[in-house]
Amino acid sequence: MSTRPSLAQLGLDTGKKARLHRILHQHGLRNGTALFLPYDQGFEHGPRDFFANSAASDPKYVIRLALEGGFNGVVLQVGLAEKFYWDFAGELPLVLKLNGKTDIPGDGEALSPVHASVADAVRLGADAVGYTLYVGTPAQEQDFAQYRQVRADAERLGMPLIVWAYPRGSAIKDKGGKDSFYAVDYAARVASELGADVVKVNFPHPEKQSGAPGEYSTTFSTQEAIDAVVRSANRTMVLVSGGAKAGDEAMIDKARQSMEAGATGLIFGRNVWQRDHDDSLRFVERLREVLAKYDSRP
Amino acid sequence: MSTRPSLAQLGLDTGKKARLHRILHQHGLRNGTALFLPYDQGFEHGPRDFFANSAASDPKYVIRLALEGGFNGVVLQVGLAEKFYWDFAGELPLVLKLNGKTDIPGDGEALSPVHASVADAVRLGADAVGYTLYVGTPAQEQDFAQYRQVRADAERLGMPLIVWAYPRGSAIKDKGGKDSFYAVDYAARVASELGADVVKVNFPHPEKQSGAPGEYSTTFSTQEAIDAVVRSANRTMVLVSGGAKAGDEAMIDKARQSMEAGATGLIFGRNVWQRDHDDSLRFVERLREVLAKYDSRP
Amino acid sequence: MSTRPSLAQLGLDTGKKARLHRILHQHGLRNGTALFLPYDQGFEHGPRDFFANSAASDPKYVIRLALEGGFNGVVLQVGLAEKFYWDFAGELPLVLKLNGKTDIPGDGEALSPVHASVADAVRLGADAVGYTLYVGTPAQEQDFAQYRQVRADAERLGMPLIVWAYPRGSAIKDKGGKDSFYAVDYAARVASELGADVVKVNFPHPEKQSGAPGEYSTTFSTQEAIDAVVRSANRTMVLVSGGAKAGDEAMIDKARQSMEAGATGLIFGRNVWQRDHDDSLRFVERLREVLAKYDSRP
Amino acid sequence: MSTRPSLAQLGLDTGKKARLHRILHQHGLRNGTALFLPYDQGFEHGPRDFFANSAASDPKYVIRLALEGGFNGVVLQVGLAEKFYWDFAGELPLVLKLNGKTDIPGDGEALSPVHASVADAVRLGADAVGYTLYVGTPAQEQDFAQYRQVRADAERLGMPLIVWAYPRGSAIKDKGGKDSFYAVDYAARVASELGADVVKVNFPHPEKQSGAPGEYSTTFSTQEAIDAVVRSANRTMVLVSGGAKAGDEAMIDKARQSMEAGATGLIFGRNVWQRDHDDSLRFVERLREVLAKYDSRP
Amino acid sequence: MSTRPSLAQLGLDTGKKARLHRILHQHGLRNGTALFLPYDQGFEHGPRDFFANSAASDPKYVIRLALEGGFNGVVLQVGLAEKFYWDFAGELPLVLKLNGKTDIPGDGEALSPVHASVADAVRLGADAVGYTLYVGTPAQEQDFAQYRQVRADAERLGMPLIVWAYPRGSAIKDKGGKDSFYAVDYAARVASELGADVVKVNFPHPEKQSGAPGEYSTTFSTQEAIDAVVRSANRTMVLVSGGAKAGDEAMIDKARQSMEAGATGLIFGRNVWQRDHDDSLRFVERLREVLAKYDSRP
């Protein structure tokens, strides 16, 4: 079992440390682990994601769920943050997602355009910002250009930067796909090299090797793979994404392996709110039981 | 019947609330519903739209029609606003449309360039600004970039932002088309996630399913479809567009279903002024009769 | 009887005309006259002004009084506007006062420092801004410098500018005093020469002649004096101030003479709210009866 | 007993509400009351204030005391915040004081120059900023000019603004002095009119009437005086200052009367740390017992 | 004997820590102590300071002396830095002094105007900047205003800021004078509260008590006084100034007491170069022997 580094050991300046302390030690289990509720799927995938549980179409329902479930924060795009966060301001940390895109056009040259600023996040009392970086996309140049501004603003304003490190683009498809061990491992490293404070990754699939560089062609257990990903991220804290809804046991196992590897926490959306209210809370309770075993207080 | 939220429940800051109060409670039926007259078709489609009623080519005629008909506001591009609104300044709310394009080139990579600013709207005494967002277009990046500036300016100056959320581009064509339930529903959601205060949508066609995601492939009534669209928009108020001129009964029915779904109002242009003066007012009177049934005063 | 000019005859640009139309024709008596409630005395004189009616210490009470009394607008400093206007946003026009001072230090070199901007007024949905200009003060240079910025911003943003034209400073004391005919007449003219859209003046006292230039040394009736003041203001609309609380009959008479002279309206604060609620409304009703006689609709 | 307004009723925007929620409901007694530890006396008075307890010269000792005592926040100047807050970042809210002055020159034209910005506060993860406004000073113009910038920045960045409203200057001396009922009442009002979110006042002395306006010349109990001050501040929350060290019973009584009047809390520095460690905590415990009786959770 | 804090314990950001590490651990004795050679007396006092040793009029001579003597840095104004530092660039750390004044006018309202920027220091490869702050001056407002900019630039560019904290002005004269224990102690504290990384102070004279606050009126040894000054500076490192040339033994004793108190080092100019070359180096060698006893490597 790897140990999570304490906030004092991450090379953070005062503002970032203050905000991450609030997220990790004054919300959720208050033990240095994190459970985030992302809620931008209405934008990224469209309202079809709410058909499984139409209540989840209402941002107020979802934010309240995050509060009831004892999450460490909720992730919103600027429009929902402006209209809904006031009601809960300060009760639950807000992560303002600064870019996003619809899934209507294809993903070959994926780019997630910025439509809100770090200053918007400050103005709304957010405790972190989120940025989707499409590692491997042919649109890398524009991606890095807008990322650079976000990173510099986050630096200047002491705002923690969470990078959604998503392998994407045609080349990724040819090298094992977006959730291959190769792709996830590379994405985690890129986020840390580019200055992310926290990186959100998908759980790596070591069996997806077709087209990936030779180093990834031997047999790895999933535990070995996620261990490597956390190691690649070094002082960038790792959040493991739930992705599309799947079986609960598989999810819990993924969570356990991630925490065992030294990840700081989980970011689960559809697996949480694509079911009815009480069932959501029961599932969240199981995730919290996992996190509770990895107390990371200094 | 869904209920329209009151202005106090929408997470609006003071300036936006003041201006929307003026539009919704001091003009039109003064009951919290809205009827807007859009008049940018000479730009978007060209003067051919005035051939059905050449008087409508004259902006003064159309603005006066909006006054006579008891509209809640008239939508103009900056040129017409600068030359014609002075005569009626303050008598009727002005919505300044900040972007627009001709329909001369094709729509595959649709983008509506900005040619006026929120500061122009303030200077002209407008009570809202309008922006056309082409949801699904391959030009998404430029669209979001210019939208971002408009949103931030509207925020800073307390100016309500009405988003014309229009599904467009080749991918939309392949997924059911621009007025499919899927496309309209997604567009309404995107507007709310990106911070629109009001969203203008086309009336959804649930029968257009070819190519759309599976969730939209079962049978929905038009009432179910518009209900879902209003729900997807959450605290962003919904205006349903009239679109091209069609039969009056179909239009009235569309209006009724929209209001029943919880829309805030209607935005009807060609259906109003592509007929002679008195006939226009008779049709408007029928729309007002619908709106009067949905009194939304707190 | 002079006639009030219509808004179309005042050389106003679109935004100023729109906002003044709202104030003069969509609030109060809707007849082109105006009754404003100023509420910055807590700042200018301190809370002692509320000892006569402690309810008036509460901004919510006073703004509600303005609504109940059918005023055309309420005048607030930025702090009260930010905390209280949201509740009433759009129901009653807001005039944001941009400068102010306490009366703790002496008045010899009076200057009213700016502490809010025209952009603040736009952001809060105000329909006009107010600026106190101390005509005759030795601090004239700083006063004109900050005024110049306010005027330019108001111009650029289409925001009507109401100038509190107050004769002040040691030289004024020596030339008849701050409410002499000479001083008030001069102040009205300065406001119009410097670009005020509306000027607030004290009612002139033609009998205070000691030290004033010879032209003001013959006998004038108060009607002649106020006639001259309105004439000096030319296309700048005149509001006559109530000043400290005095006898009702004297106030009504002052109001009547002012309207007879062609003033656009009245701005009465302490005379209104330094008495109990119902008595306030009874007095306001009498003022409205005066204004109703001067219907100024085009 | 007056009731404290809830945060939802104060006209706050999202960021200010989020940050004040953290201060009032996630620290201290978590019941909506506040106890702040100000620690800028080394700057305002010099190190002589630490002679009574030399340990208090060390910022680390004092910040730790604030944590041990369960304070809602500590107030620091930028230098100490930059060097010491990192160690405690996020554990205790930081109020960054933006201006200050030494007491070496006289107070006749008191002005407290700004030496840090609201952006500094954001960067350091502070939850509020503090500004000393010298109400009544002949340097009013410069004071308001720099205050205006601070207010606008705080507005733009959603940062709560705490105004130290201190009557000062020669005119104040002639009208009852800086802690007269008149002066404190006026100062509280000025802070609210100028847009403070929270105002820090000295406890008013109604017996100091010499030179004050007539309204303050009758007999008032201290309870009546502090009641009036809280009323004058309206939606601006009131913190009552401890001032120089005095008898514990008198301090507790002052605290009790303030809370009874509807103040939100206390800001006690020298009375806390000018004694040894354990005695400090015993005294703080007594203050907390007072605050606990005024639970203000919505 | 107090211990000097290590660089890692001072709350420094990366750039400041890197530059101070160079100064303290890669020059001079490389043991964490410092000996600086200030050379701005030609500006502050005029060439008269070079009459005792005319060679010292030549900047090249003095910089070479600093190199030969094993100093940790030399302090220059921008003109000398631009013309002479190139020859020695990188061999010896440069401290660029950003402000200064002649001693031609009197000191009653002392202000040291800024004539170079932190960006100049970066351009010249300096490892720190120096700023003279006149604590207690009636010109406090301008002093803080220009200091604020320097501090913010130093922050942004990771440049260590050394504050010459000099008590000055008429009020200081009345309270014990500029080198009284009271004045020096207060000045050291002000520098730390305002964000100096290093503070240069004069050696305090505890016997100068006339007019100083009562706390300073008992008997203190010079060791107790300098102990208190270092404590007041807390995490701001202290440099003790040599001042005008005096007896060597007195100087060595002052140095020893300062280091014993926990100062980081010495800044001696005239005592060094107002004698011939070899004598200078012999005296410097004695200072280094003192510093060598206070090895502060972590």
Side-chain angles (χ1 to χ4, degrees):
Chain A
M1 166 182 161
S2 304
T3 50
R4 265 146 296 282
S6 84
L7 285 179
Q9 299 167 322
L10 295 176
L12 296 163
D13 69 22
T14 306
K16 288 186 173 188
K17 182 165 178 269
R19 291 179 171 94
L20 286 169
H21 180 92
R22 287 202 288 255
I23 291 175
L24 297 176
H25 294 282
Q26 296 180 346
H27 291 274
L29 290 167
R30 298 165 181 270
N31 70 349
T33 66
L35 180 59
F36 286 96
L37 189 70
Y39 186 62
D40 61 346
Q41 296 83 355
F43 183 25
E44 297 284 339
H45 315 140
R48 64 184 164 97
D49 274 13
F50 309 129
F51 279 53
N53 172 26
S54 68
S57 172
D58 178 8
K60 191 161 191 173
Y61 168 86
V62 172
I63 302 174
R64 191 171 281 144
L65 194 64
L67 262 177
E68 291 168 341
F71 278 76
N72 295 69
V74 64
V75 183
L76 300 174
Q77 297 279 358
V78 69
L80 302 191
E82 287 185 339
K83 297 219 183 313
F84 290 88
Y85 186 58
W86 188 92
D87 300 10
F88 304 93
E91 295 181 44
L92 180 71
L94 168 66
V95 178
L96 189 71
K97 189 80 195 320
L98 303 185
N99 62 348
K101 65 168 192 55
T102 70
D103 69 354
I104 300 172
D107 240 11
E109 309 214 357
L111 178 72
S112 184
V114 166
H115 46 252
S117 64
V118 181
D120 281 323
V122 170
R123 171 176 62 87
L124 291 166
D127 275 325
V129 292
Y131 180 92
T132 295
L133 188 81
Y134 284 129
V135 177
T137 179
Q140 182 169 251
E141 184 191 351
Q142 294 141 279
D143 204 1
F144 286 9
Q146 61 180 15
Y147 171 76
R148 176 188 179 185
Q149 185 64 49
V150 167
R151 183 192 55 71
D153 289 347
E155 204 66 52
R156 186 173 49 84
L157 293 166
M159 181 65 71
L161 172 54
I162 306 179
V163 168
W164 271 235
Y166 281 176
R168 281 291 187 288
S170 41
I172 286 290
K173 276 181 197 141
D174 298 341
K175 295 188 172 178
K178 65 189 186 182
D179 54 0
S180 65
F181 175 20
Y182 160 69
V184 172
D185 198 25
Y186 203 158
R189 186 69 186 194
V190 167
S192 100
E193 300 248 359
L194 292 184
D197 299 305
V198 183
V199 62
K200 174 185 194 265
V201 295
N202 286 312
F203 196 85
H205 286 246
E207 76 285 4
K208 299 195 177 175
Q209 303 180 350
S210 152
E215 292 83 346
Y216 292 89
S217 299
T218 46
T219 305
F220 294 98
S221 69
T222 50
Q223 186 67 57
E224 286 169 326
I226 185 68
D227 283 356
V229 168
V230 172
R231 212 160 48 232
S232 293
N234 50 78
R235 287 188 178 169
T236 295
M237 290 180 281
V238 173
L239 298 179
V240 175
S241 172
K245 191 160 182 297
D248 285 7
E249 298 313 316
M251 280 293 145
I252 296 296
D253 200 48
K254 196 152 118 171
R256 202 192 42 73
Q257 289 190 38
S258 301
M259 296 309 291
E260 195 65 24
T264 292
L266 309 168
I267 177 160
F268 275 41
R270 284 167 288 172
N271 281 282
V272 170
W273 46 255
Q274 279 185 345
R275 47 178 115 200
D276 76 41
H277 177 264
D278 295 354
D279 196 16
S280 293
L281 292 182
R282 271 190 298 271
F283 178 64
V284 168
E285 195 44 44
R286 294 196 58 192
L287 294 175
R288 284 166 59 93
E289 281 162 17
V290 173
L291 296 179
K293 292 191 187 117
Y294 296 89
D295 193 311
S296 303
R297 276 170 287 191
Chain B
M1 167 181 160
S2 303
T3 49
R4 263 146 298 281
S6 84
L7 284 179
Q9 298 167 322
L10 296 178
L12 297 162
D13 68 23
T14 306
K16 289 187 173 189
K17 184 166 177 267
R19 290 178 171 94
L20 286 170
H21 181 91
R22 288 203 287 255
I23 292 174
L24 297 177
H25 293 282
Q26 296 179 348
H27 290 274
L29 290 167
R30 299 164 181 270
N31 70 349
T33 67
L35 180 60
F36 286 96
L37 189 71
Y39 186 63
D40 61 346
Q41 295 84 353
F43 183 25
E44 295 285 338
H45 315 140
R48 64 183 164 98
D49 275 12
F50 309 130
F51 280 50
N53 173 26
S54 67
S57 173
D58 177 8
K60 190 160 189 173
Y61 169 85
V62 172
I63 302 174
R64 188 171 283 142
L65 194 64
L67 261 177
E68 292 168 340
F71 278 76
N72 295 68
V74 64
V75 183
L76 300 174
Q77 297 279 357
V78 69
L80 302 192
E82 287 184 341
K83 297 217 184 319
F84 290 88
Y85 185 60
W86 187 92
D87 300 11
F88 305 92
E91 295 180 45
L92 180 71
L94 168 66
V95 178
L96 188 71
K97 190 78 196 320
L98 303 184
N99 62 349
K101 64 168 192 54
T102 70
D103 67 354
I104 302 172
D107 241 10
E109 309 214 358
L111 179 71
S112 183
V114 166
H115 46 253
S117 66
V118 181
D120 283 324
V122 169
R123 173 176 60 89
L124 291 164
D127 275 325
V129 292
Y131 180 92
T132 297
L133 188 81
Y134 285 128
V135 178
T137 179
Q140 181 171 251
E141 184 195 353
Q142 293 143 276
D143 204 1
F144 285 12
Q146 61 180 13
Y147 172 76
R148 175 189 179 185
Q149 185 64 48
V150 167
R151 181 193 57 73
D153 289 348
E155 201 67 50
R156 186 173 49 85
L157 293 166
M159 182 64 72
L161 172 53
I162 306 179
V163 169
W164 272 235
Y166 281 177
R168 282 291 186 289
S170 41
I172 285 290
K173 276 181 198 142
D174 298 342
K175 294 185 173 177
K178 65 188 186 183
D179 54 359
S180 64
F181 176 18
Y182 161 69
V184 172
D185 198 23
Y186 203 157
R189 185 71 184 194
V190 166
S192 99
E193 299 250 355
L194 291 184
D197 299 306
V198 183
V199 61
K200 173 184 193 265
V201 295
N202 286 311
F203 197 85
H205 286 246
E207 76 285 3
K208 300 195 177 177
Q209 303 181 351
S210 152
E215 291 85 345
Y216 292 90
S217 299
T218 47
T219 306
F220 294 97
S221 68
T222 51
Q223 186 66 56
E224 286 170 328
I226 186 68
D227 284 356
V229 168
V230 172
R231 210 162 48 233
S232 291
N234 50 77
R235 287 185 178 170
T236 295
M237 290 181 281
V238 173
L239 299 179
V240 175
S241 171
K245 190 158 182 298
D248 284 8
E249 297 314 314
M251 280 293 146
I252 295 297
D253 199 49
K254 197 152 118 171
R256 201 192 44 72
Q257 288 190 37
S258 301
M259 296 308 291
E260 194 67 23
T264 293
L266 309 168
I267 176 159
F268 275 41
R270 284 167 288 173
N271 280 282
V272 169
W273 46 255
Q274 279 185 344
R275 49 178 115 200
D276 75 42
H277 178 263
D278 294 354
D279 196 16
S280 293
L281 292 182
R282 271 190 298 272
F283 178 63
V284 168
E285 195 45 42
R286 293 196 58 192
L287 294 175
R288 285 165 59 92
E289 281 162 16
V290 173
L291 295 179
K293 291 191 187 117
Y294 296 89
D295 193 310
S296 303
R297 275 170 288 192
Chain C
M1 164 180 162
S2 304
T3 50
R4 263 145 298 280
S6 84
L7 284 179
Q9 298 167 322
L10 295 177
L12 296 163
D13 70 21
T14 306
K16 288 187 174 188
K17 181 165 178 269
R19 291 179 171 93
L20 287 169
H21 180 91
R22 287 204 287 257
I23 292 174
L24 297 176
H25 294 282
Q26 295 179 347
H27 290 274
L29 290 166
R30 300 164 181 271
N31 69 350
T33 67
L35 179 60
F36 285 96
L37 189 70
Y39 186 61
D40 62 346
Q41 296 83 354
F43 183 24
E44 296 285 339
H45 315 138
R48 66 184 163 97
D49 275 13
F50 309 129
F51 279 52
N53 172 26
S54 68
S57 172
D58 178 9
K60 190 160 191 174
Y61 168 85
V62 171
I63 302 174
R64 190 172 281 144
L65 194 64
L67 262 176
E68 292 168 340
F71 278 77
N72 294 69
V74 64
V75 183
L76 300 175
Q77 297 279 357
V78 69
L80 302 191
E82 287 184 341
K83 297 218 182 313
F84 290 89
Y85 186 58
W86 187 92
D87 300 10
F88 304 93
E91 295 180 45
L92 179 72
L94 168 67
V95 178
L96 188 71
K97 190 80 195 318
L98 303 184
N99 62 349
K101 64 168 193 56
T102 70
D103 69 353
I104 301 172
D107 239 13
E109 309 214 356
L111 178 72
S112 183
V114 166
H115 46 253
S117 65
V118 181
D120 282 323
V122 170
R123 173 175 60 87
L124 292 166
D127 276 325
V129 292
Y131 180 93
T132 296
L133 189 81
Y134 284 128
V135 178
T137 179
Q140 183 170 250
E141 184 191 351
Q142 294 142 278
D143 203 2
F144 285 10
Q146 61 180 14
Y147 171 77
R148 176 188 179 185
Q149 185 64 48
V150 166
R151 183 191 56 70
D153 290 346
E155 205 66 52
R156 185 174 48 86
L157 293 166
M159 182 64 71
L161 172 53
I162 306 179
V163 169
W164 270 234
Y166 281 177
R168 281 291 186 289
S170 41
I172 286 290
K173 274 181 199 142
D174 298 342
K175 295 186 171 179
K178 65 190 185 181
D179 54 359
S180 65
F181 176 19
Y182 160 68
V184 172
D185 197 25
Y186 202 158
R189 186 68 186 195
V190 166
S192 100
E193 301 247 359
L194 291 184
D197 299 305
V198 184
V199 62
K200 173 184 193 267
V201 295
N202 286 310
F203 196 85
H205 286 245
E207 77 284 5
K208 300 194 176 178
Q209 304 181 349
S210 151
E215 292 84 345
Y216 292 89
S217 299
T218 48
T219 304
F220 294 99
S221 68
T222 51
Q223 187 66 58
E224 286 169 328
I226 185 68
D227 283 355
V229 168
V230 172
R231 211 159 50 232
S232 292
N234 50 77
R235 286 188 178 169
T236 295
M237 290 181 281
V238 174
L239 299 179
V240 175
S241 171
K245 189 158 183 297
D248 285 8
E249 298 314 314
M251 281 292 145
I252 296 296
D253 200 49
K254 198 151 117 171
R256 202 191 43 72
Q257 288 190 39
S258 300
M259 296 309 292
E260 195 67 24
T264 292
L266 309 168
I267 177 160
F268 276 39
R270 284 168 287 174
N271 281 281
V272 170
W273 45 255
Q274 279 185 344
R275 46 178 117 200
D276 75 42
H277 178 263
D278 294 356
D279 196 16
S280 292
L281 292 181
R282 271 190 298 270
F283 178 64
V284 169
E285 196 42 44
R286 295 196 57 192
L287 293 175
R288 284 166 60 93
E289 281 163 15
V290 173
L291 296 178
K293 292 189 187 120
Y294 295 90
D295 192 312
S296 302
R297 275 170 287 192
Chain D
M1 167 179 162
S2 304
T3 50
R4 264 146 297 281
S6 84
L7 284 178
Q9 299 167 321
L10 295 178
L12 296 163
D13 68 23
T14 306
K16 290 186 172 188
K17 183 165 177 269
R19 291 178 171 94
L20 286 170
H21 181 92
R22 288 203 287 256
I23 292 174
L24 297 176
H25 293 282
Q26 296 179 348
H27 290 275
L29 290 167
R30 298 164 181 269
N31 70 349
T33 66
L35 179 61
F36 286 96
L37 189 71
Y39 186 62
D40 62 345
Q41 296 83 356
F43 184 23
E44 296 285 338
H45 315 139
R48 64 183 164 97
D49 275 11
F50 309 130
F51 280 52
N53 172 27
S54 68
S57 172
D58 178 8
K60 191 161 190 173
Y61 168 85
V62 172
I63 303 174
R64 190 171 283 142
L65 193 65
L67 263 176
E68 291 168 341
F71 278 76
N72 295 69
V74 64
V75 183
L76 300 174
Q77 297 279 356
V78 69
L80 302 190
E82 287 184 340
K83 297 217 184 313
F84 290 88
Y85 186 59
W86 187 92
D87 300 11
F88 305 93
E91 295 180 44
L92 179 71
L94 168 65
V95 179
L96 189 71
K97 190 79 196 319
L98 303 183
N99 63 348
K101 64 168 194 56
T102 70
D103 69 352
I104 302 172
D107 240 11
E109 308 217 357
L111 179 72
S112 183
V114 167
H115 46 252
S117 65
V118 181
D120 282 322
V122 170
R123 173 175 60 87
L124 292 165
D127 275 325
V129 292
Y131 180 94
T132 297
L133 189 82
Y134 285 129
V135 177
T137 179
Q140 181 171 251
E141 184 194 352
Q142 294 141 278
D143 204 1
F144 286 11
Q146 61 180 14
Y147 172 77
R148 176 189 178 184
Q149 185 64 48
V150 167
R151 181 192 58 71
D153 289 346
E155 201 68 50
R156 187 173 48 85
L157 294 165
M159 182 63 72
L161 172 53
I162 307 180
V163 169
W164 271 235
Y166 281 177
R168 282 292 186 289
S170 41
I172 285 291
K173 276 182 198 142
D174 299 341
K175 295 185 173 178
K178 65 189 185 181
D179 55 0
S180 65
F181 176 18
Y182 161 69
V184 172
D185 197 25
Y186 202 156
R189 185 71 185 195
V190 166
S192 100
E193 299 250 355
L194 291 183
D197 299 305
V198 184
V199 62
K200 173 185 193 266
V201 294
N202 286 311
F203 196 84
H205 286 245
E207 77 284 4
K208 300 195 176 176
Q209 303 181 351
S210 152
E215 290 85 345
Y216 292 89
S217 298
T218 47
T219 305
F220 295 98
S221 68
T222 51
Q223 187 65 57
E224 286 169 328
I226 186 68
D227 283 356
V229 168
V230 173
R231 210 162 48 231
S232 291
N234 49 78
R235 287 185 179 171
T236 295
M237 289 181 281
V238 173
L239 298 179
V240 175
S241 172
K245 189 159 183 296
D248 284 9
E249 298 313 314
M251 281 292 146
I252 296 296
D253 199 49
K254 197 151 115 170
R256 201 191 45 70
Q257 288 191 37
S258 301
M259 296 308 292
E260 195 67 24
T264 292
L266 309 168
I267 177 159
F268 275 41
R270 284 169 286 173
N271 281 282
V272 170
W273 46 254
Q274 280 185 344
R275 47 177 114 200
D276 75 43
H277 178 264
D278 294 354
D279 197 17
S280 292
L281 292 181
R282 271 191 297 272
F283 178 63
V284 168
E285 195 44 44
R286 295 197 57 191
L287 294 175
R288 284 166 59 93
E289 281 162 17
V290 172
L291 296 179
K293 291 190 187 117
Y294 296 90
D295 192 310
S296 302
R297 275 170 288 192
Chain E
M1 166 180 161
S2 303
T3 49
R4 264 145 299 282
S6 83
L7 284 179
Q9 299 166 322
L10 295 178
L12 296 161
D13 69 24
T14 306
K16 288 187 173 189
K17 183 163 176 274
R19 291 179 171 94
L20 286 170
H21 182 89
R22 284 204 289 260
I23 292 174
L24 297 176
H25 293 282
Q26 297 180 348
H27 291 274
L29 291 166
R30 298 166 182 267
N31 70 349
T33 67
L35 180 60
F36 286 95
L37 188 70
Y39 186 62
D40 62 344
Q41 296 83 354
F43 183 26
E44 296 284 340
H45 315 139
R48 65 182 164 98
D49 275 13
F50 309 130
F51 281 49
N53 172 25
S54 66
S57 172
D58 178 7
K60 190 161 190 175
Y61 168 85
V62 172
I63 302 174
R64 186 170 288 141
L65 193 64
L67 260 176
E68 292 168 339
F71 277 77
N72 295 67
V74 64
V75 183
L76 301 174
Q77 296 280 357
V78 68
L80 302 192
E82 288 183 340
K83 298 219 182 320
F84 290 88
Y85 186 59
W86 186 92
D87 300 13
F88 305 92
E91 296 179 48
L92 179 70
L94 168 66
V95 178
L96 187 71
K97 191 78 195 321
L98 304 184
N99 62 349
K101 65 169 192 53
T102 71
D103 68 353
I104 303 173
D107 241 12
E109 309 215 357
L111 178 73
S112 182
V114 167
H115 46 251
S117 65
V118 181
D120 283 324
V122 170
R123 174 174 59 88
L124 291 165
D127 276 324
V129 291
Y131 180 93
T132 296
L133 188 81
Y134 286 130
V135 177
T137 179
Q140 180 170 253
E141 184 196 352
Q142 293 143 276
D143 203 1
F144 286 10
Q146 61 180 14
Y147 171 78
R148 176 189 178 184
Q149 185 65 48
V150 167
R151 182 192 58 71
D153 290 347
E155 201 67 51
R156 186 171 50 84
L157 294 165
M159 181 63 71
L161 173 53
I162 306 179
V163 168
W164 272 235
Y166 281 178
R168 283 291 186 288
S170 41
I172 285 291
K173 277 182 198 142
D174 298 341
K175 295 185 172 178
K178 65 188 185 181
D179 54 0
S180 65
F181 176 18
Y182 161 68
V184 173
D185 197 24
Y186 202 157
R189 184 74 185 193
V190 166
S192 100
E193 300 249 356
L194 291 184
D197 298 307
V198 183
V199 61
K200 173 184 194 266
V201 295
N202 287 310
F203 197 84
H205 287 246
E207 76 284 4
K208 299 195 176 176
Q209 302 181 352
S210 151
E215 291 85 346
Y216 292 89
S217 298
T218 47
T219 305
F220 294 98
S221 68
T222 50
Q223 186 65 57
E224 285 170 328
I226 186 67
D227 284 355
V229 168
V230 173
R231 211 163 46 232
S232 290
N234 50 78
R235 287 185 178 169
T236 295
M237 289 181 282
V238 173
L239 300 178
V240 175
S241 172
K245 189 157 182 297
D248 284 9
E249 298 314 314
M251 280 293 146
I252 296 299
D253 199 48
K254 198 150 113 172
R256 202 191 43 71
Q257 287 191 38
S258 300
M259 296 309 290
E260 194 67 23
T264 292
L266 308 168
I267 176 161
F268 275 40
R270 283 168 289 174
N271 281 283
V272 169
W273 46 254
Q274 278 185 347
R275 47 179 117 198
D276 74 41
H277 178 263
D278 294 354
D279 196 16
S280 293
L281 292 181
R282 272 191 298 273
F283 178 64
V284 169
E285 195 44 42
R286 294 196 58 192
L287 294 175
R288 284 166 60 93
E289 281 162 16
V290 173
L291 295 178
K293 292 191 187 116
Y294 296 90
D295 192 311
S296 303
R297 275 170 289 192

